[in-house]
Amino acid sequence: MQKIAAVIGTTGVGKSQLGVELCKALRGQVINADSMQVYKGLDIISNKMPAIERQGVPHHLMDFLDPEKEYNVTDFERDAALCIDKLTSEQQLPVVVGGTNYYIQSLIWQNTLSKSESPRRSPSPERYSEFDNVLTSELYAQLCKVDPVMANKWNPSDRRKIIRSLKIFHDTGKPQGEIIKEQQEQLKRHGLPAKYKSLIFWLYADPVKLNPRLDERVDKMIETGLFDEIQELRKRVVDGSVRLPGQDLEKYQRGLWQAIGYKEFDSYFTALEANNSTSSDLDKIRQECTERMKAATRRYAKRQVQWIRNKLLPTVRNSNGDVQVYLLDATNLDVWDSSVRDKAIEIATAFQSNDTMPAPVELSEVAASMLSVPPDAQDTHSRVLNWKKYTCPICRTEKGEEAVLNGEMEWQQHLKSRWHRKSTKHQKLVKERLRPLQEGSTPSAS
Ligand SMILES: [Zn+2]
């Protein structure tokens, strides 16, 4: 089995640096796993490590694609696998570095769950035009009949997901809920085999310390030329060499449009291009956009950690020991060398020479707590199969219908909502008003 190392973690935590340090110590080369850094140019908006800091370590799958092109996870999987073959044959350690978590997941595991969940058959759109003029409520009723598991999972008004499940039933002749059940059983029996013997370093920093660092980084990006890159992109949109995503919302999550910064500064550049705002107005808009970009960066970092804990760690646990995750604490940059670099090199050296490696939870207290499974974490299969809809016994919708909440999270949010608190208060008042009457009319037993 070929061996690879990987460095994952949130944006701005030092992944690129550790990647280079590992390569220098271990005869390795970097394979980029960041969906933005595959593009040529756009160095600032995509957070590319400056060439000089790469210290001569080759970086593959970086800086090679024209911004007009789209690059997806299947492309990455294919290109990275070729790269790993080549490096392995040259006795170089492939070090996969990047923040696009699902790239790394789909590289390491044969059948990532998300992929097998929506089996892709040959698309035959004409067959589905039958859905076009059907009311969502009727489609939902159809789904309830053929696939009660998925009907229970989806919101009755979520037309897109209802149609997707119906399509799977039409394509495979099997309800999607049934397919998920079979996958779950297979997973229980065989685990989820990994394609590579993998050593993953998760670089982690306490958000309290990380967030100011992320804010500073946004300011630095602006100082060093972020706006030039955004303007260059906008020019390309105007002259038609790149197309803005269409109506399809999912498209915003593809290509370079998902780079944090482009969307966030839209109102600033629109005002600038219209050329009819005072400079103090422009300043104000720029400030707002900067704040928006900082907030988006923090949210992204938070999502990346959630993804590692809720998706990656449970998958690692099913991998029959071929994948190991070590958390390294990068909260305090003053002790980077001892708490990150040296530890990583030591572990990776043992990994390469098949020596005994330390237990991941023994590395630090942070490691012990972050590597534990969150109590409410469930694998994707169980989450669908155990899905629950809740009916609030107190609240009624405006139409006087029962309030149905889809899933635990919605239910918990509902319990804290103003709507629910108002209904509860109202119910209490009604009860209080009724009590004297009831007490008066019911003869006391004593
Ligand atoms: Zn309620």
Side-chain angles (χ1 to χ4, degrees), residues 319-372:
S319 304
N320 314 327
D322 286 328
V323 183
Q324 293 266 45
V325 180
Y326 286 89
L327 180 141
L328 298 169
D329 190 354
T331 303
N332 182 356
L333 293 178
D334 295 335
V335 291
W336 170 277
D337 288 356
S338 59
S339 62
V340 177
R341 185 194 64 191
D342 297 349
K343 271 189 188 166
I345 291 173
E346 196 187 311
I347 295 166
T349 308
F351 171 72
Q352 262 196 323
S353 46
N354 299 319
D355 285 344
T356 325
M357 290 157 68
V361 291
E362 280 166 15
L363 240 48
S364 66
E365 261 172 57
V366 191
S369 82
M370 294 305 286
L371 290 174
S372 68

Side-chain angles (χ1 to χ4, degrees), residues 392 394-395 414 420:
C392 184
I394 300 170
C395 297
H414 172 78
H420 183 76

